[in-house]
Amino acid sequence: MKPTHRYDDIINLPRHVSVKRSPMSNYDRAAQFSPFAALTGYEAVIEETGRLTDTRIELDEGGKYLLDEKLQWLREHLPENPEVTLKVFCPDSRKAGGAYESITGHVKKIDPVSRCLVLCEGDVIAIDRIYGIECGI
């Protein structure tokens, strides 16, 4: 005697085809099984967390004195529009810390009221953010 299985009565029946709906394409059928992004934006957060920033270095008295000497030299030579390379700390807008950038240009003006250095190229740099100055001293 042949053993009977649970679905023997329907196993060989033809597959039902709906007369109301067209069959789903293979592309749409595959999309049902694609991975689901439950944590939208999670990858961006992980990437942002892994992005490195530098901490701001505070100048000691000797460094401040040297920076002040160079600023004084620049004030004396403003009519010549001396070329300088500034090492500037740029704070990060999204997390603690920032990055040091080198900015090269010709000094147009030193504004003692707003404590800014204005370059002929249009850059305005706060003196408090300047870490180093390389010029013709």
Side-chain angles (χ1 to χ4, degrees):
M1 187 162 140
K2 184 176 176 185
T4 59
H5 292 292
R6 191 170 167 178
Y7 299 108
D8 278 346
D9 56 335
I10 61 169
I11 198 75
N12 293 320
L13 291 177
R15 187 175 69 88
H16 172 75
V17 178
S18 174
V19 292
K20 294 180 181 178
R21 295 191 177 102
S22 60
M24 185 182 287
S25 70
N26 285 340
Y27 179 79
D28 290 337
R29 188 178 305 277
Q32 294 181 28
F33 301 101
S34 65
F36 173 66
L39 300 174
T40 305
Y42 181 71
E43 289 294 324
V45 170
I46 294 297
E47 188 176 306
E48 177 63 24
T49 303
R51 189 172 56 85
L52 298 177
T53 57
D54 294 326
T55 55
R56 185 173 185 165
I57 300 168
E58 291 297 325
L59 291 172
D60 60 358
E61 290 302 315
K64 288 178 183 178
Y65 177 78
L66 185 61
L67 193 63
D68 201 36
E69 287 283 317
K70 290 182 180 183
L71 285 170
Q72 186 60 38
W73 183 89
L74 288 173
R75 276 188 197 96
E76 293 168 3
H77 292 85
L78 273 179
E80 304 163 24
N81 294 99
E83 183 177 20
V84 294
T85 300
L86 305 168
K87 187 173 183 182
V88 179
F89 181 77
C90 298
D92 195 304
S93 61
R94 291 182 268 168
K95 62 193 292 187
Y100 284 94
E101 294 181 12
S102 290
I103 300 172
T104 301
H106 295 85
V107 180
K108 179 179 181 180
K109 176 177 145 181
I110 298 175
D111 188 352
V113 176
S114 62
R115 296 195 39 83
C116 289
L117 196 90
V118 181
L119 302 180
C120 293
E121 292 76 15
D123 296 316
V124 178
I125 296 124
I127 292 174
D128 297 336
R129 290 182 26 215
I130 299 174
Y131 180 72
I133 300 174
E134 292 178 24
C135 55
I137 292 181

